[in-house]
Amino acid sequence: MGLKMGMIPVKKALEAILDQVQRMGTEKMDLLHSLGRVLAEPVASVRDHPPWNSSAMDGYAVCHGELSQASEQRSVLLEVIEEIAAGVLPQKAIQPGQASRIMTGAPVPEGADAVIRVEDTRTEGNRVRVIQPVEAGENVRLRGEDIQSGNVVLEQNSVIGPAEVGLLASVGRSHVLVYQRPRVAILATGNELADLGEALGPNKIMNSNGYAVAAQVIEAGGVPVLLGVAKDTREELSDRLAQGLSADLILISGGVSVGEYDFVKDVLDELGATMAFWKVAMKPGEPLAFGMLKTKPAFGLPGNPVSTMVTFEQFVRPALRKMQGHALLFRPVIEAVLMERITKKTGKTHFLRAVVKKTADRYEVWTTGSQSSGVLTSMVKANGLLIFPSESGEIEKGRTVQVQLLGKNLSDKTFTGYLAKRDCRVL
Ligand code: AMP
Ligand code: MG
C-alpha cells in the first residue's frame, strides 16, 4: 500500500529532522554539574598515574632477588629500616638484607622491586621474617600504569557519568567544557484545556501533555520552558509562539490535525516557518509536523497524550540528543519473542505500547492491550515500544520482533504483577 498524500515514512522524517538540528554551543561547567553532559573537549592528563611506583598492598618493600626461594623452612630475616605511610616519600634506599614497612598507595623506595604482603611475613622486633617467595614486580603498581602524562583520558563527546567524574577529578579538572543544554519551549493548545491549579469545569480536561513532555525534555537532557496553554485562536497561538522564539527548540502539542480549530499550520505559515513535513506514516502520531521557525527547529506534536509522548520518543529525543553532542541518539532496540498474535492495516509503522520481560535466555513481549492513543495509563504500564513494521499486517505469536526499550527497569515488580494478569487473559 502506498503512502497517503504528503505523508512521509518514519525513517525519512527522522533524517529530515536530524539534518536540520545543529549542535549547541559550549559552556564551562564545574565538575559535579557536568554529570550527564557531553564533553566538548578532549581531556588529557598532565601527570602519570600512579605518579610513582606504588604499593598495591600493606606489607614490606623488598628486593625480590634474595627472597625468590623463601618459605617456612627457608625463611629470610630482613632489617626494617623505615615506615612509609601513604602521603610520604621514602627517605632510604633498600640494601640487601633490608626492607621498609609500606602502606597501600605509598611510593616504593629505591632499591626495592616488590612488595610482600604482611600476611606472608612475621614481625620479630625491628626485623621481619619472610616466609613466602616473592616475584619481581609483585604488588607494585608501576608509575604511569593507568595513565601516562599527555594521554587523552576522555575523548571529546564522551558522556560524563560517575566514573568520568572520578577520572576528571583524578587528573585535576575542577571544570570542563561541555555542550549546552537546549532550552525547549512547550506550548499546549486547546480550548478544552485547563492548567494545573485552575478549576476544572465540566467542559475541561487537564493539560497533561505540557507536563509529560516537559518531563521527557528533562529526561532527554533539555531544559523545559513551559508556555502554558493557548486557546485555539490564531492570535493567541501566534502570541505564545513568539514568546517561544528565544528557546532553542519549540514544541507545540495539539492543533496540528485537520479539525475546524486546528490553526497551528496557519499560524506557522503566517510566522514564516519552513516546514519539512506535516504527516508521518506512523501510529500513534500521524499528524506530526516539523520545520524551522525563524532559525529554531519546531515540532507540531499530535494532541492525543500517547501520540505526543510516542512521537517525542521517536523524533524529539534524538534531536535533543544530537543538539547536546551525544553520539548515541536512539534508545536501545532488542529482539523479543512475541507472546500474542498482533494485526494491523499495512502502510504505517505502529509503535505498540508493550511490556518486555527478561527470562533466563530471552526477552518476551506482550502488548499492553488497548492501543488507543488517549490511554495514558498504558504508557505507564509499558516498558517498551514494539515496532510493528509499516509493510507488515500481522505477526504470529512466537515470532521475533523488535522492541525499543524505554529505559525502565525490566524486572520491576509493577511489570511482573501486570504480566501475571495479562498471562491469564492472553495465553
Ligand atoms: P488535537 O490534536 O488538538 O485535535 O487533540 C487531540 C486530542 O488530544 C483531543 O482529545 C485533545 O483534547 C487531547 N489533547 C490535546 N492537547 C492536550 C493536552 N495538552 N493534554 C491532554 N490532552 C490533550
Ligand atoms: Mg486541539
Side-chain angles (χ1 to χ4, degrees):
M1 188 173 135
L3 290 184
K4 276 198 269 172
M5 275 280 288
M7 197 184 274
I8 71 165
V10 170
K11 194 162 169 275
K12 284 262 176 302
L14 197 54
E15 279 167 14
I17 293 163
L18 294 178
D19 259 9
Q20 297 275 349
V21 298
Q22 305 297 328
R23 209 154 57 186
M24 300 288 295
T26 60
E27 62 185 330
K28 204 171 159 188
M29 197 44 63
D30 72 88
L31 184 57
L32 274 183
H33 285 106
S34 75
L35 183 67
R37 298 292 199 95
V38 181
L39 257 186
E41 57 171 340
V43 172
S45 178
V46 290
R47 198 176 186 213
D48 288 339
H49 190 81
W52 47 71
N53 293 343
S54 75
S55 176
M57 290 285 171
D58 290 327
Y60 292 89
V62 294
C63 176
H64 87 283
E66 53 190 330
L67 304 169
S68 57
Q69 307 292 322
S71 65
E72 275 289 355
Q73 294 72 32
R74 302 173 66 179
S75 65
V76 182
L77 202 56
L78 301 173
E79 179 197 1
V80 180
I81 58 167
E82 183 180 23
E83 182 176 288
I84 311 160
V88 302
L89 292 175
Q91 302 299 315
K92 296 177 182 167
I94 300 287
Q95 306 290 338
Q98 296 182 331
S100 282
R101 180 82 169 96
I102 192 166
M103 311 304 158
T104 306
V108 173
E110 249 179 73
D113 62 0
V115 170
I116 183 156
R117 300 186 311 158
V118 163
E119 296 89 321
D120 298 335
T121 65
R122 276 200 300 271
T123 311
E124 294 180 9
N126 62 351
R127 292 189 299 178
V128 61
R129 188 172 292 281
V130 179
I131 52 175
Q132 291 288 333
V134 184
E135 284 174 23
E138 204 172 317
N139 297 323
V140 175
R141 293 187 188 129
L142 291 179
R143 173 181 178 155
E145 184 179 283
D146 188 9
I147 303 163
Q148 283 168 21
S149 175
N151 279 4
V152 170
V153 291
L154 286 175
E155 304 281 354
Q156 186 168 343
N157 293 104
S158 302
V159 180
I160 304 177
E164 285 75 9
V165 167
L167 193 53
L168 288 164
S170 79
V171 299
R173 294 294 297 261
S174 59
H175 290 80
V176 284
L177 200 65
V178 296
Y179 294 105
Q180 290 167 3
R181 291 186 185 284
R183 285 163 40 86
V184 181
I186 300 167
L187 179 62
T189 72
N191 291 337
E192 76 281 28
L193 300 178
D195 220 326
L196 286 181
E198 280 174 22
L200 196 59
N203 56 339
K204 298 276 186 176
I205 59 165
M206 274 295 169
N207 164 27
S208 62
N209 286 352
Y211 298 94
V213 166
Q216 286 182 300
V217 166
I218 294 170
E219 208 182 54
V223 180
V225 181
L226 288 162
L227 299 182
V229 176
K231 292 262 180 301
D232 290 317
T233 67
R234 288 184 173 81
E235 299 69 32
E236 204 168 324
L237 279 174
S238 176
D239 283 357
R240 295 287 183 107
L241 274 182
Q243 290 172 30
L245 283 174
S246 60
D248 301 302
L249 187 140
I250 298 156
L251 298 176
I252 308 161
S253 113
V256 278
S257 202
V258 289
E260 289 293 318
Y261 298 93
D262 290 341
F263 295 129
V264 169
K265 185 175 193 321
D266 295 359
V267 170
L268 284 172
D269 280 345
E270 277 164 31
L271 293 173
T274 43
M275 301 305 286
F277 56 82
W278 285 96
K279 281 181 178 179
V280 179
M282 68 185 283
K283 199 172 172 197
E286 177 192 304
L288 170 68
F290 172 77
M292 298 300 283
L293 178 55
K294 315 286 181 201
T295 55
K296 306 298 169 66
F299 288 83
L301 302 177
N304 274 307
V306 173
S307 311
T308 318
M309 294 194 76
V310 171
T311 49
F312 182 103
E313 271 293 330
Q314 303 314 314
F315 303 109
V316 185
R317 187 174 183 276
L320 289 176
R321 287 179 66 83
K322 180 177 177 192
M323 291 170 87
Q324 292 166 88
H326 280 281
L328 284 177
L329 303 185
F330 305 109
R331 296 276 197 195
V333 172
I334 53 145
E335 297 209 318
V337 177
L338 183 61
M339 302 305 283
E340 62 188 286
R341 177 174 178 266
I342 52 175
T343 61
K344 71 165 174 64
K345 281 196 213 152
T346 59
K348 290 182 188 174
T349 306
H350 287 211
F351 295 91
L352 305 181
R353 277 143 274 162
V355 178
V356 180
K357 190 175 145 188
K358 174 102 176 65
T359 65
D361 57 351
R362 63 185 196 174
Y363 290 106
E364 296 176 350
V365 63
W366 290 255
T367 73
T368 58
S370 166
Q371 294 292 315
S372 159
S373 54
V375 184
L376 200 48
T377 49
S378 62
M379 250 344 243
V380 173
K381 289 169 186 160
N383 60 359
L385 292 171
L386 192 165
I387 305 169
F388 198 163
S390 172
E391 66 285 2
S392 170
E394 107 177 70
I395 309 179
E396 292 300 334
K397 179 179 167 181
R399 300 298 290 268
T400 298
V401 290
Q402 303 224 304
V403 186
Q404 207 175 47
L405 296 180
L406 292 174
K408 297 184 185 176
N409 188 346
L410 295 189
S411 59
D412 192 300
K413 282 202 194 71
T414 330
F415 299 128
T416 318
Y418 176 69
L419 280 171
K421 278 188 238 153
R422 282 284 289 159
D423 286 353
C424 302
R425 277 204 295 135
V426 178
L427 300 177

